[in-house]
Amino acid sequence: MTDAPLLDVQGLRVAYTTRAGEVPVLTGLDLSLRAGEALGLVGESGCGKSTVALSIMRYLGRAGRITAGRILFEGRDLVSLDEGALRALRGRRIAMVYQDPMASLNPVMTVGRQLMEVPMVHERVDAAAARARALAMLREVRLADPEAVMDRYPHQLSGGQQQRIVIAMALIAEPALLIMDEPTTGLDVTVEAAVLDLVRDLRRRHDSAILFISHNLGTVARVCDRVGVMYRGELVEEGSVRQIFTDPRHPYTRGLLDCLPTSGRDKRHAPLIPIAGQVEPASARTPGCGFASRCPHVETGRCTTRAIALATVEDDAGHRVACVRVDELAQASRRRATLAVRDAQAPTAPVIAVRDLHKSYERRRARLAARKDVVRALVDVELTAARRRTLAVVGESGCGKSTLAKILTGIEVATGGSVTLDGIEVAALPVDARDRTLKRKLQMVFQNPDSTLNPSHTVGYAIGRALRRLRERAPADVPSGVARLLEVVKLGPEMAARRPRQLSGGEKQRVAIARALAGDPDVIVADEPVSALDVSVQAAVINLLNEIQAERGTTLLFISHDLAVVRYLADHVAVMYLGTVAEFGAVERVFAPPYHPYTEALLSAVPVLDPDAAASRIVLEAPLPRGDEVPRGCPFATRCPRRVGTVCDDVPPPVQQLDGGHRIARHIPAKELAARQVPL
């Protein structure tokens, strides 16, 4: 790395034109990035992170414009460049990877054509040379069988493969600056880890600078050298990864870190601490510190009358903080919760019992073909969930988690086996055949509330409809019932008159939970309910689910790929792989050796905040087999780093019963597994 910055942003101001007039979004941003360096930008949604990226690309759209400042890249001011000069830079010297890979991939063009297009347009090479470059780049991003991938369309690839293709497209011209905007959001933990390893490796080989935007602080700690914390269009803290994650000085940075579930903390000992309130809209900007209205250390007048600039922390070179009380708060302890969620009652008989559950689908090989493939979605699934307890179901996409949830809710019916809900058999009972009492017993909260809330109806209508259908409430009683449920999920009664578009992501998820509570259910099935939320909103929703469980005795089936959240929230964990339960037991046993090798690989892929933590990554190189290609023996045999021979390919693994109801489906004896493994 050289001392001269590759990218130097000076006093950048950006505004968007709205019906209410021009709204400032960035208000004088300064940041720099050297060649070969990785800078992470973190903060809640609405803090301006993506606007920074789009400003550098000069792609703000018609509504956005740069009102002041300079963006110096390789000594040239991007703000003053014309469209022709910008086109020559974009894709060639500056490239961007977006959150959704399908936003960058043309669905009607093969992957090969799209990759070849970059060197052909920017470097004027012929088709043969461009194809050779594309194949080499596919190998570099570790995609198996690159020749076959070249001829595929984007929809024929998995999410992880699509993201690798987008990264390959960004790097094929060897840009000096790579901007990545939430590149791993929504990916499985193993795919996320592989993409992050790939980014670090490619950065070293190509000496590219990286601007890495994310709300996942663990991924930033794994990839970046420095971190910039943004709030309301301003940098409030900047420093090395070690400075930010081990000695945060700004109250907002501390607040973000307090929202995260970390090792040694669980729901019984320390609730998460969400930041009070939410990011104010840019149109409501006030003088002074932008964080003042949410800060537990605010001093009226001193913090609220004038703009606060970044200043270097005394005796800590490279660490800058925008806080007038930074020296006074240096010795202040981080916030700690005083009340823990406790439940002294012993668990009762299982409210959910799944025995020998099977679910298969038939799929034609071709449109007119007579032969059908049998896709096994669930095979011999056995698990239980006790009343007042949380059962987490984890695993990669395609392992059967959502299929299990659909059978529990009656969206799908089982091919075989038994599922009892409070003693009632429901495996073959579709939701339309379930009476009102049975429907009330189990309700579901989906990952994306936008897909389940009708944009044309108010919040009050959505919750009221659930009350009328599940509880047979009289029309006159519905408004009071809606207000009571909104109070339960910590929302004011005025929310009843709002429509989904008028709510934040966290508020919409709370409304979805309120609607699920309308029937006073015994079981709530939550399918990835916090995966796309900011860390503060995630903490608030997790605390809310804990409180509801403690007060109402609800059983929670929590489906997630975020193992840090699972470790914090769950009482029991079921680890699923290709429709089977690879491991099941109490959370403290599943997260300690001996692990199933698949559990071990999942845990090793979880990004941690500690920059000094020794990495012990277990890389699963082979892709997840399709449902019609499951091995005869152990389902994990084709990817297992601890396979013992042909027995793994030919013989289904025995289920080993360990202490405390912990069980592992594995050929290797538990004592031998424990001797090979270390706590993760």
Side-chain angles (χ1 to χ4, degrees):
M1 290 186 284
T2 62
D3 291 331
L6 173 78
L7 175 72
D8 191 11
V9 179
Q10 302 173 357
L12 181 63
R13 294 178 178 270
V14 174
Y16 284 95
T17 302
T18 69
R19 292 180 180 178
E22 194 168 77
V23 176
V25 176
L26 299 182
T27 57
L29 184 80
D30 294 307
L31 62 83
S32 63
L33 187 58
R34 294 178 295 167
E37 184 182 36
L39 170 66
L41 280 185
V42 303
E44 296 168 283
S45 296
C47 285
K49 305 184 302 295
S50 294
T51 298
V52 173
L54 295 174
S55 298
I56 295 169
M57 296 295 292
R58 289 283 311 278
Y59 196 65
L60 288 166
R62 293 181 179 179
R65 71 184 186 93
I66 296 172
T67 59
R70 301 199 299 169
I71 304 173
L72 299 177
F73 174 72
E74 296 181 329
R76 303 170 69 188
D77 188 359
L78 301 182
V79 176
S80 61
L81 292 186
D82 60 27
E83 283 298 319
L86 285 171
R87 279 195 297 270
L89 281 175
R90 293 182 188 132
R92 178 68 185 92
R93 300 300 295 159
I94 306 175
M96 186 162 176
V97 175
Y98 296 88
Q99 177 176 342
D100 179 10
M102 287 304 292
S104 305
L105 295 172
N106 190 326
V108 299
M109 288 176 63
T110 63
V111 165
R113 282 187 61 197
Q114 295 183 64
L115 283 168
M116 291 166 59
E117 201 173 50
V118 179
M120 291 175 72
V121 169
H122 287 288
E123 301 174 39
R124 306 298 179 187
V125 303
D126 59 32
R131 182 175 179 84
R133 286 267 296 277
L135 285 169
M137 200 66 230
L138 290 180
R139 295 187 186 98
E140 199 164 357
V141 298
R142 301 173 198 156
L143 278 170
D145 197 2
E147 289 279 1
V149 171
M150 288 280 287
D151 295 328
R152 291 178 186 161
Y153 290 89
H155 71 273
Q156 296 173 307
L157 304 174
S158 69
Q161 289 172 323
Q162 290 173 355
Q163 196 62 282
R164 288 175 186 235
I165 294 296
V166 171
I167 292 172
M169 287 176 61
L171 289 173
I172 194 169
E174 298 188 357
L177 173 62
L178 178 63
I179 301 172
M180 308 188 80
D181 190 358
E182 300 279 8
T184 60
T185 299
L187 297 181
D188 293 325
V189 65
T190 52
V191 178
E192 175 187 72
V195 169
L196 295 179
D197 289 345
L198 172 66
V199 170
R200 289 195 303 178
D201 186 38
L202 293 174
R203 170 191 156 201
R204 285 193 298 266
R205 287 198 300 221
H206 293 270
D207 197 33
S208 295
I210 295 178
L211 182 64
F212 190 90
I213 297 169
S214 181
H215 67 254
N216 186 328
L217 302 185
T219 62
V220 170
R222 176 171 279 183
V223 169
C224 298
D225 305 302
R226 292 190 299 120
V227 181
V229 183
M230 289 194 67
Y231 191 79
R232 291 191 69 187
E234 302 171 336
L235 274 181
V236 297
E237 187 163 4
E238 182 186 20
S240 69
V241 167
R242 181 170 284 98
Q243 288 168 331
I244 297 298
F245 291 131
T246 63
D247 186 25
R249 295 299 187 90
H250 197 282
Y252 179 59
T253 310
R254 292 183 172 192
L256 290 177
L257 294 173
D258 284 337
C259 292
L260 298 174
T262 55
S263 179
R265 295 176 68 188
D266 61 40
K267 63 182 179 182
R268 290 181 181 80
H269 299 95
L272 303 176
I273 311 171
I275 302 172
Q278 61 188 34
V279 181
E280 299 89 344
S283 57
R285 190 173 299 279
T286 55
C289 175
F291 187 58
S293 63
R294 304 172 72 190
C295 181
H297 305 291
V298 64
E299 283 190 3
T300 303
R302 188 179 175 193
C303 299
T304 57
T305 56
R306 60 182 178 82
I308 301 169
L310 280 172
T312 302
V313 176
E314 187 177 355
D315 298 326
D316 200 3
H319 194 176
R320 301 192 299 160
V321 182
C323 178
V324 295
R325 301 195 62 196
V326 61
D327 294 330
E328 303 163 35
L329 301 177
Q331 304 303 320
S333 60
R334 297 265 293 277
R335 293 188 303 156
R336 289 290 179 265
T338 57
L339 177 64
V341 177
R342 297 183 183 276
D343 182 5
Q345 298 185 26
T348 58
V351 66
I352 294 176
V354 178
R355 305 287 183 217
D356 193 30
L357 181 63
H358 289 73
K359 176 63 180 178
S360 299
Y361 299 94
E362 288 188 346
R363 183 179 63 191
R364 291 186 185 275
R365 291 198 168 189
R367 185 176 179 183
L368 301 177
R371 184 173 175 179
K372 298 178 181 179
D373 289 327
V374 175
V375 178
R376 304 190 306 171
L378 297 174
V379 182
D380 294 328
V381 172
E382 299 216 6
L383 51 83
T384 57
R387 198 177 302 277
R388 307 178 67 87
R389 292 293 183 265
T390 298
L391 169 63
V393 183
V394 303
E396 296 168 286
S397 297
C399 71
K401 306 187 301 293
S402 294
T403 300
L404 174 63
K406 289 176 181 178
I407 291 174
L408 286 171
T409 55
I411 297 173
E412 298 275 2
V413 295
T415 307
S418 169
V419 177
T420 59
L421 175 60
D422 210 9
I424 302 170
E425 179 60 51
V426 297
L429 198 62
V431 64
D432 291 342
R434 300 183 184 187
D435 60 29
R436 183 179 285 109
T437 301
L438 192 55
K439 288 178 181 176
R440 281 205 307 261
K441 283 183 176 292
L442 186 146
Q443 290 292 301
M444 190 161 180
V445 177
F446 294 89
Q447 176 176 355
N448 182 8
D450 283 320
S451 65
T452 58
L453 294 175
N454 191 323
S456 301
H457 291 305
T458 64
V459 165
Y461 176 87
I463 299 174
R465 184 174 184 271
L467 284 170
R468 290 191 295 272
R469 293 180 67 87
L470 295 175
R471 305 298 294 181
E472 297 183 290
R473 287 289 186 95
D477 297 332
V478 169
S480 61
V482 170
R484 180 181 59 83
L485 287 171
L486 288 173
E487 183 181 1
V488 168
V489 298
K490 308 293 192 297
L491 292 176
E494 71 279 1
M495 289 290 182
R498 297 186 184 178
R499 286 180 168 77
R501 69 176 183 274
Q502 297 171 298
L503 307 180
S504 68
E507 288 170 339
K508 283 186 276 195
Q509 197 61 284
R510 286 171 183 259
V511 170
I513 294 171
R515 185 173 59 180
L517 292 173
D520 196 15
D522 296 322
V523 179
I524 293 178
V525 178
D527 190 357
E528 301 277 13
V530 297
S531 65
L533 302 180
D534 291 327
V535 291
S536 182
V537 179
Q538 172 183 280
V541 171
I542 290 171
N543 285 346
L544 173 63
L545 291 172
N546 278 333
E547 291 171 17
I548 289 169
Q549 184 175 67
E551 293 171 5
R552 295 173 171 246
T554 308
T555 297
L556 180 63
L557 185 73
F558 188 82
I559 297 172
S560 180
H561 64 254
D562 189 332
L563 297 188
V565 170
V566 166
R567 191 172 197 162
Y568 173 85
L569 181 66
D571 298 292
H572 284 76
V573 180
V575 182
M576 295 193 66
Y577 186 79
L578 282 183
T580 65
V581 177
E583 185 166 5
F584 178 83
V587 66
E588 63 271 12
R589 295 184 182 275
V590 172
F591 281 72
Y595 322 99
H596 188 284
Y598 180 56
T599 308
E600 186 182 16
L602 291 178
L603 290 174
S604 77
V606 176
V608 295
L609 290 179
D610 185 357
D612 298 319
S616 55
R617 283 275 291 110
I618 297 172
V619 180
L620 300 179
E621 295 286 1
L624 186 75
R626 298 202 317 256
D628 56 348
E629 296 177 338
V630 179
R632 290 195 311 273
C634 175
F636 191 51
T638 58
R639 305 171 78 197
C640 183
R642 300 192 183 278
R643 40 179 293 128
V644 294
T646 56
V647 65
C648 296
D649 298 318
D650 301 327
V651 181
V655 177
Q656 302 179 37
Q657 299 288 344
L658 309 180
D659 295 338
H662 184 196
R663 64 178 191 264
I664 303 176
R666 193 63 196 155
H667 287 293
I668 303 173
K671 288 184 178 179
E672 185 179 339
L673 264 180
R676 298 185 188 184
Q677 296 170 329
V678 296
L680 294 170

